[in-house]
Amino acid sequence: MNEKSENAKACIGAAAGTDSVHRPAEPRWEHFEHKADIGVRGIGPTMAAAFEQAATALVAVCTDPARVRPVEEIRIQCEAPTPELLLIDWLNALIFEMATRKMLFSRFKVQIHGARLEGVAAGEPIDVARHEPAVEVKGATYAELAVHEARPGHWVAQCVVDV
Amino acid sequence: MDLSKLERISETEWHVPPTGRMRVPAVIFATEQLLKEMDDKVLEQACGVATLPGIQKAAFAMPDAHWGYGFPIGGVAAFDPDEGGVISAGGVGFDISCGVRTLLTGLKAKDVIARQKELADTLFRWIPAGVGSTGNLHLSIKELDEVLANGAVWAVQRGYGTHADLERIEEHGRIEGADPDCVSNQAKKRQQDEMGTLGSGNHYLEVQEIVEIYDEAIAKVYGLRLGEVVVSIHCGSRGLGHQINTEYLKEMTAAAQQHGIHLPERELACAPIKSSVGQRYLGAMRAAINCALANRQILSHLAGKAFAEIFPGTKLTLLYDVSHNTCKVEEHVVDGKRKRLFVHRKGATRSYGPSRSADLPPEFRAVGQPVLIGGSMGTCSYILAGTDAAEQKAFASAVHGAGRALSRNQALKQWQGRQVIDELASRGVLIRSPSVRGVAEEAPGAYKDVSAVVDAAEQAGLARKVARCKPIICIKG
């Protein structure tokens, strides 16, 4: 019935892995399938690291993050009652900053204290020729939303974003 | 989709009787073939919508339905506020009042093709498209409030188009009940530089040739002539609508809980129409509808400027402007009773037939409203006419487009943007886009067959085919 949800779960399973049970996760990001839109997933040794990676996955929907120079920093703060809603707020804050500042980001630093997130995003103004931005993200959605520690030191933060 | 769960009513109508928390059936309009290719998620989501308080008749899915958030895209549902009915941000969509408008040029395709490259380059110069693009307008928050209150009427007052255009826009270019005070400053800030921009993703401006007429009489009323050229614009309320939806989705999640509304999935977040959140969302959503109507009005004016550069004296005449992500108050008959309902159409077009003459421009009263259906860049678009049957079957609703068959990532794996551009050029379609990757993600092969979707809609009686248009130039955001 729910093929894509199962795909998403399978991807989480793969991300969690079984071959390196005691090793903290290497920070990385990936996209997962959604027909009309796209799923963003961050993986890292801490929830904060997974949020940073999810942010990179978000930018990668639009452009190759490696093309974006981290020359200008902006600060972001959010607060939400659950880690899932905090992820949504964090990604939506980035979407808002990218849209209003006409910027793209490539480096993120996140600190999470309970319900509160303090983040720094570094990037530069959009340069159409160099960045070739493909599609703007409209918003982070609750579809396939999950923030969890798959095993000790292996955090996953993900959701589908509307493009 | 697993068809065993569905009860076949006709060649194109399938029902799922209510079970569990469902208050009404789920109804899908599609041919067997389209249904087989449809996401199982569509059925699951339609059944979820059917559980919401105050829903009337059924939760409907159109032939182009696919997996959305909460509501399927291609979903239609109507709610009665007097029966605890709800309004849902997920039932409208992120791109509030995304829609299509088609303009008549009166030009012959052979004349346009003779100057196709010049026209493509000129349009690309005039139409701000793609991520981060801005128009010539920078509006203060106060000016933006005027846009949100007055829609395309504001645009016409500012010199974008004429008063005659307003009659050819749903709601006469301005929906009542918009309340800019219900829109956050963040949403307004996101829109200050975005009036008169196309956006990105599946949004486009196309120059199209009318290549087939199915109904001569209606085509005549609409002013459509074989071999002539039209312009179609597909876009919505830009950053403002996205931000409004983001904010109210969050608020409605809490509101649903507060009002004891069970949500099968979080994206079905909704609030009673009569609640404070419900009323504020309505005010904000209508403001976003006005924003979208003004935006498309400005873009039409810019397209007119581009055409006039290449074909002096050409005037673009608006055929019609439809929105396919909305919630509107309409009267419908349910169980023999006339009711005032809040009709959500998420990826579905209103399809008013002749019986809705009071709501149609005088010239369309005998034939129904134009229902404008966008295809993918390489294929074709359709102009249909609204039917009275659509009123009986699905609260006067029809399809909105082809719908994706492949995800963006799958598309990127299959095609390169440059290859898509070259291949379309060899077939006579010139693409202009700031993003080669964006073109690959929107490759024609990534979409379903729009003709199958349109045929199913006609077979189901939701709309009647009038004309088919083939793209000549596509400005892709």
Side-chain angles (χ1 to χ4, degrees), chain B residues 148-351:
Chain B
L148 304 188
N150 296 308
V153 174
W154 174 88
V156 169
Q157 282 166 353
R158 290 282 292 244
Y160 300 103
T162 67
H163 283 279
D165 295 339
L166 300 175
E167 288 312 307
R168 297 295 186 95
I169 304 174
E170 288 180 340
E171 318 300 334
H172 307 287
R174 173 187 182 272
I175 193 165
E176 292 289 334
D179 186 351
D181 290 343
C182 297
V183 178
S184 72
N185 267 338
Q186 291 218 321
K188 290 173 188 171
K189 208 172 157 196
R190 216 166 143 179
Q191 192 60 25
Q192 281 183 293
D193 292 325
E194 293 199 353
M195 290 309 299
T197 63
L198 198 56
S200 62
N202 62 0
H203 294 154
Y204 60 75
L205 180 147
E206 276 190 356
V207 179
Q208 304 163 336
E209 176 185 355
I210 301 167
V211 290
E212 201 165 358
I213 300 272
Y214 304 98
D215 189 314
E216 288 288 351
I218 301 180
K220 200 172 169 202
V221 173
Y222 288 174
L224 303 169
R225 282 182 284 272
L226 198 66
E228 284 195 356
V229 165
V230 296
V231 176
S232 284
I233 299 171
H234 175 223
C235 69
S237 52
R238 310 286 297 109
L240 182 111
H242 311 162
Q243 190 70 23
I244 288 172
N245 211 64
T246 294
E247 292 167 5
Y248 278 96
L249 203 56
K250 189 174 169 185
E251 218 177 319
M252 283 182 174
T253 308
Q257 205 173 10
Q258 203 185 332
H259 289 276
I261 301 169
H262 172 82
L263 299 180
E265 65 172 292
R266 199 154 24 179
E267 293 276 339
L268 269 178
C270 58
I273 293 159
K274 290 183 173 177
S275 68
S276 155
V277 186
Q279 288 297 308
R280 279 189 288 111
Y281 175 70
L282 270 171
M285 181 207 58
R286 289 166 177 161
I289 290 178
N290 280 338
C291 174
L293 300 182
N295 194 40
R296 289 197 286 271
Q297 185 67 21
I298 296 169
L299 286 168
S300 303
H301 176 78
L302 299 178
K305 291 276 186 196
F307 266 82
E309 271 191 26
I310 309 297
F311 302 103
T314 302
K315 246 187 78 198
L316 304 188
T317 308
L318 183 56
L319 166 61
Y320 209 51
D321 179 302
V322 301
S323 296
H324 50 229
N325 280 1
T326 59
C327 175
K328 290 186 178 174
V329 180
E330 295 168 10
E331 284 196 357
H332 291 276
V333 176
V334 180
D335 298 330
K337 242 176 90 181
R338 182 156 285 278
K339 289 183 165 188
R340 188 173 159 271
L341 302 178
F342 286 68
V343 183
H344 293 66
R345 294 190 185 91
K346 182 190 190 182
T349 312
R350 201 185 68 180
S351 178

Side-chain angles (χ1 to χ4, degrees), chain B residues 37-84:
Chain B
E37 293 162 6
M38 207 177 268
D39 277 323
D40 280 314
K41 263 282 184 188
V42 171
L43 182 58
E44 194 183 304
Q45 292 190 320
C47 290
V49 174
T51 69
L52 297 178
I55 187 164
Q56 304 291 304
K57 274 190 183 176
F60 297 100
M62 298 289 117
D64 52 342
H66 53 278
W67 180 17
Y69 314 114
F71 280 55
I73 295 161
V76 176
F79 297 86
D80 184 345
D82 295 332
E83 294 177 22

Side-chain angles (χ1 to χ4, degrees), chain A residues 1 4 31 33-35 37 60-61 89 92 95-96 102 133-134 136 138 141-143 145 162-163, chain B residues 39-40 67 69 94 131-132 134 186 190 200 238 242 246 250 253 266-267 404-405 407-409 435 437:
Chain A
M1 181 77 186
K4 285 182 194 70
H31 290 150
E33 289 297 319
H34 183 279
K35 192 156 281 177
D37 294 299
V61 170
D89 280 2
N92 278 332
I95 290 165
F96 176 80
K102 315 275 181 252
E136 64 195 336
K138 294 171 187 165
T141 79
Y142 299 138
L145 172 61
D162 193 320
V163 294
Chain B
D39 277 323
D40 280 314
W67 180 17
Y69 314 114
F94 268 82
V131 180
T134 55
Q186 291 218 321
R190 216 166 143 179
S200 62
R238 310 286 297 109
H242 311 162
T246 294
K250 189 174 169 185
T253 308
R266 199 154 24 179
E267 293 276 339
R404 288 194 81 93
S407 72
R408 291 178 178 276
N409 271 352
S435 171
R437 173 176 150 186

